Amino acid sequence: MAKPVKVDELTTFCQLVLRGFGADAETARDCTDSMMHGSIHGVDSHGVRLLGHYARGLKGGRLNKTPQIQFKRTRAGTGLLDGDNAQGARATYAAIDHACTLAGEAGIGAVGITRSSHFGPAGAYALRAAQRGMLALVTCNSDSFVRLHDGAERFHGTNPISVACPAPGNPWLLDMATSAVPFNRVELYRSTGTPLPDGVASDENGTDVTDPNLSAMLAPLGGMFGFKGAALGGVAELFSAVLTGMKLSPDIDPMGGPDFSTPRGMGAFVAVLDPAAFAGAELVQAGITRYLELLRTSPAQQGRTVMAPGDREWAVALERRKNGISLDPVTADSFSELARALNLKPVV
Amino acid sequence: MAKPVKVDELTTFCQLVLRGFGADAETARDCTDSMMHGSIHGVDSHGVRLLGHYARGLKGGRLNKTPQIQFKRTRAGTGLLDGDNAQGARATYAAIDHACTLAGEAGIGAVGITRSSHFGPAGAYALRAAQRGMLALVTCNSDSFVRLHDGAERFHGTNPISVACPAPGNPWLLDMATSAVPFNRVELYRSTGTPLPDGVASDENGTDVTDPNLSAMLAPLGGMFGFKGAALGGVAELFSAVLTGMKLSPDIDPMGGPDFSTPRGMGAFVAVLDPAAFAGAELVQAGITRYLELLRTSPAQQGRTVMAPGDREWAVALERRKNGISLDPVTADSFSELARALNLKPVV
């Protein structure tokens, strides 16, 4: 690992790179914010390691450098946001802004996102709504990578679901793939030569394997109860693709190319709820406070700790905001190349 | 197993019993509809075996026999429904009706339910919205039965989440507990003396056990990734209890008594979305049709079949509507007692 880079320095570098590849100011800002959400909170799979990927999409034409985002309110509580092939964070932060406005008026606001692209960490968007005192649900689908329950081909994407609820201090924040593990976990096991846990990956025939080198697809969450995980992946399809008229996972071009010139036509979905339209902000605050207190003081198994969703992430964020973020070697190399290509001061 | 009872006969019997214990016509109708949903679709844990339980709640005063349900629209897309301590199906079907009306106007309708009780199968309510051409999400919490990830006490209820989407023929319908298995599965293993699968139940110290007789609590969905299942249980708490100001799972009196006179003060949550406010009913119909076709023709593992959420249930329903429903011995005995107590013609 290279020497840790300060959060501010990394943020500036990401923005300069994206601007250097022609992204407008809003795209550079939002794309950077989403990656920094990942890197700050220890969700490194969706952190700044994606910078080179997004730069390639901007350069190739997959991503519109200067998207004209269009929001159409369809009813009091709903709308459609046409991303104009923007980088996914640009479209999704805009959708969250509109959904918060709708929720402030109609009590709940749901926005279907069309013509978007890979949006990185779902939790970044749900968190933004929670920071404004709202509950949020965010989901998207993605290119096929996860088999169905009893299935033998890549079908759903890792299709994340994120839910956030405002709380004193840090929000309650769930951001989960509907597969058992993300694929980068498999890659980690490969690089360390460690066998995988049971029931997380399968070979080309859908047979579960523990040899990470034989792993050709991920298993849905739940092991022998994987019909639940597969159905949750389906929930992401219904809200992100079916409701918006966008592409189903098996129809989405692979994230990794080789085609980096064609927009991917991805959907996504955000919903935001205003506590004031339900029990009221004070009662909701009292409820989440008691819930988190009961949860965090609940007896743990010997040698274990019980945590609320997000607690691990807030701890990592505290440390990384103080000490900086260490880049893995592949990302560090990619950053050096990007700096050279754009004649920027290197951060590593 | 006793001789199968025809659906119509069983429906009439349930209504007569509930009316016999003083329930008003709406309560008898809705409570019966929810139990019959379970029994017809093979969700027997939430089927007519609950009749005796609800009769006891009506008799004891836990359930209001003649609830004055009050709906208050709080904003264009939201409302609160005060169940007046109704049986849960009575309150939840009413909430779905209101949410569908809200969604027809505002594009989305979310209703928080207060002062309700055990509502049986979550899928019954989501299905009703889907039969009206709407997408729906339904959830509730319940008394503590499931440990947290790494936890050593009963914390969340089995906290179901149901999602439905209209489709040609039968809807796409997910109705899942956020525990790995329902407790009645553990009871089934006890009665047959079979060891439990790994990672579904724990002893009093939170240590996973496969001996069903040592099982004191359920594990969250996900096995070693149980933090996801526990967080999904948390989603049910947030929407059903925190947002509505109702009781958290650890605060809810046990379903099984001994107190059957005090109302349980449970919350629940329903949200309904109108496809016409997103991509439009036609495009959404085309999307779900293609999704289900891709899914049902996706290659399966050797000797397995890939199914969409709900497919198993529709197959069971077809058979049971034709041949009737067989009651387990405990339920058959309870039905005989209820018939004797109310001087009704017995169905078994």
Side-chain angles (χ1 to χ4, degrees):
Chain A
M1 289 286 191
K3 182 175 150 285
V5 186
K6 288 290 180 188
V7 163
D8 284 356
E9 217 180 323
L10 207 50
T11 304
T12 304
F13 183 77
C14 290
Q15 289 184 338
L16 288 174
V17 167
L18 294 165
R19 293 289 275 154
F21 278 91
D24 61 17
E26 292 82 2
T27 300
R29 175 199 63 200
D30 291 344
C31 181
T32 298
D33 281 357
S34 76
M35 291 187 292
M36 290 306 298
H37 170 91
S39 285
I40 288 170
H41 294 94
V43 190
D44 291 311
S45 54
H46 292 73
V48 296
R49 69 178 276 271
L50 292 168
L51 180 63
H53 170 78
Y54 294 134
R56 204 171 162 187
L58 289 165
K59 194 178 166 191
R62 168 189 283 187
L63 302 177
N64 187 344
K65 299 177 178 75
T66 55
Q68 303 301 306
I69 306 265
Q70 300 280 342
F71 177 70
K72 186 182 144 200
R73 188 167 184 172
T74 53
R75 304 272 187 86
T78 52
L80 284 168
L81 184 132
D82 175 354
D84 195 20
N85 304 312
Q87 191 276 333
R90 170 76 182 97
T92 314
Y93 276 125
I96 279 285
D97 287 346
H98 286 292
C100 286
T101 304
L102 294 181
E105 293 175 25
I108 186 165
V111 176
I113 303 172
T114 62
R115 297 204 303 153
S116 185
S117 195
H118 188 264
F119 77 11
Y125 316 106
L127 177 60
R128 177 150 303 177
Q131 285 165 339
R132 294 177 189 162
M134 304 276 192
L135 281 86
L137 182 152
V138 174
T139 189
C140 78
N141 64 336
S142 49
D143 48 308
S144 297
F145 221 92
V146 184
R147 65 167 173 76
L148 293 164
H149 185 61
D150 292 334
E153 71 168 358
R154 295 174 174 209
F155 191 82
H156 288 138
T158 48
N159 292 11
I161 296 174
S162 177
V163 173
C165 178
N170 289 306
W172 184 100
L173 178 63
L174 165 67
D175 180 2
M176 60 172 267
T178 51
S179 52
V181 297
F183 189 69
N184 70 325
R185 190 78 64 90
V186 175
E187 287 176 328
L188 183 67
Y189 280 83
R190 274 186 193 164
S191 70
T192 57
T194 320
L196 290 165
D198 280 327
V200 307
S202 308
D203 67 13
E204 281 296 345
N205 304 313
T207 308
D208 281 4
V209 290
T210 54
D211 179 347
N213 295 305
L214 295 179
S215 144
M217 62 188 88
L218 298 172
L221 175 69
M224 68 183 293
F225 311 102
F227 54 89
K228 296 188 179 185
L232 291 168
V235 170
E237 298 287 331
L238 296 181
F239 284 91
S240 310
V242 171
L243 196 60
T244 62
M246 288 293 107
K247 288 187 181 168
L248 299 167
S249 289
D251 296 330
I252 297 174
D253 284 340
M255 181 181 172
D259 178 0
F260 270 86
S261 62
T262 311
R264 293 173 81 210
M266 290 171 65
F269 177 84
V270 306
V272 169
L273 295 92
D274 184 356
F278 294 91
E282 269 182 50
L283 259 185
V284 171
Q285 167 106 343
I288 187 73
T289 302
R290 174 163 168 79
Y291 175 65
L292 286 171
E293 190 181 303
L294 285 175
L295 191 156
R296 292 185 180 127
T297 56
S298 181
Q301 293 166 20
Q302 184 110 34
R304 305 284 185 138
T305 309
V306 165
M307 284 191 288
D311 282 357
R312 190 189 67 85
E313 286 75 8
W314 315 130
V316 173
L318 204 65
E319 190 275 325
R320 291 191 175 185
R321 282 187 197 280
K322 188 176 158 209
N323 300 321
I325 294 164
S326 295
L327 304 181
D328 66 85
V330 174
T331 301
D333 285 351
S334 139
F335 273 39
S336 300
E337 260 178 59
L338 290 165
R340 264 196 307 275
L342 294 168
N343 204 19
L344 296 172
K345 186 176 164 241
V347 285
V348 278
Chain B
M1 289 285 191
K3 181 172 150 289
V5 186
K6 290 288 182 191
V7 164
D8 283 357
E9 217 181 323
L10 207 51
T11 304
T12 305
F13 182 78
C14 289
Q15 288 183 340
L16 288 174
V17 167
L18 294 165
R19 294 287 276 155
F21 278 92
D24 61 18
E26 293 82 1
T27 299
R29 175 198 65 198
D30 291 345
C31 181
T32 299
D33 281 356
S34 76
M35 290 187 292
M36 290 306 297
H37 169 91
S39 285
I40 289 171
H41 294 94
V43 190
D44 291 311
S45 53
H46 292 74
V48 295
R49 69 178 277 271
L50 292 168
L51 179 63
H53 170 79
Y54 293 135
R56 201 169 166 189
L58 288 165
K59 193 178 168 192
R62 170 190 282 189
L63 302 177
N64 187 342
K65 299 176 178 75
T66 55
Q68 303 303 307
I69 305 265
Q70 300 281 343
F71 178 69
K72 186 182 145 202
R73 187 167 185 171
T74 53
R75 304 273 186 87
T78 52
L80 284 169
L81 184 132
D82 176 353
D84 195 21
N85 303 314
Q87 190 275 336
R90 169 74 181 99
T92 314
Y93 276 125
I96 279 285
D97 287 347
H98 286 292
C100 285
T101 304
L102 294 181
E105 294 175 23
I108 186 166
V111 176
I113 303 171
T114 61
R115 297 204 301 154
S116 184
S117 193
H118 188 263
F119 77 12
Y125 316 106
L127 177 60
R128 177 148 303 177
Q131 285 165 339
R132 295 178 187 164
M134 303 276 192
L135 281 86
L137 182 151
V138 173
T139 189
C140 78
N141 64 336
S142 48
D143 49 307
S144 297
F145 221 92
V146 184
R147 64 167 173 77
L148 292 164
H149 185 59
D150 292 334
E153 71 169 355
R154 294 174 173 211
F155 191 81
H156 288 138
T158 48
N159 291 12
I161 296 175
S162 178
V163 174
C165 177
N170 288 306
W172 184 101
L173 178 61
L174 165 67
D175 180 2
M176 60 174 266
T178 51
S179 52
V181 296
F183 190 68
N184 70 324
R185 190 78 63 90
V186 174
E187 287 175 328
L188 183 68
Y189 279 84
R190 273 186 194 164
S191 69
T192 57
T194 320
L196 289 166
D198 279 327
V200 307
S202 309
D203 68 13
E204 281 295 347
N205 303 312
T207 307
D208 281 5
V209 290
T210 55
D211 180 346
N213 295 305
L214 295 178
S215 147
M217 61 189 90
L218 297 172
L221 174 68
M224 69 182 292
F225 311 103
F227 53 90
K228 295 187 180 185
L232 290 168
V235 169
E237 298 288 331
L238 296 181
F239 284 92
S240 311
V242 171
L243 196 59
T244 62
M246 286 294 107
K247 285 186 183 168
L248 299 167
S249 288
D251 297 329
I252 297 174
D253 283 341
M255 179 180 173
D259 178 1
F260 270 86
S261 61
T262 311
R264 293 172 82 210
M266 290 171 65
F269 176 85
V270 306
V272 168
L273 296 91
D274 184 355
F278 294 91
E282 271 182 49
L283 259 184
V284 171
Q285 168 107 341
I288 187 73
T289 302
R290 176 166 167 75
Y291 175 65
L292 286 171
E293 190 180 303
L294 285 176
L295 191 157
R296 292 187 179 125
T297 57
S298 181
Q301 293 166 18
Q302 185 111 37
R304 304 286 184 136
T305 308
V306 165
M307 284 191 289
D311 281 357
R312 190 187 67 85
E313 286 76 9
W314 314 130
V316 173
L318 205 63
E319 191 274 324
R320 291 192 175 183
R321 282 187 197 279
K322 189 177 159 210
N323 301 322
I325 295 164
S326 296
L327 303 181
D328 67 84
V330 175
T331 301
D333 285 352
S334 137
F335 273 38
S336 302
E337 260 179 59
L338 290 165
R340 265 195 306 275
L342 294 169
N343 204 18
L344 296 172
K345 184 175 162 241
V347 285
V348 279

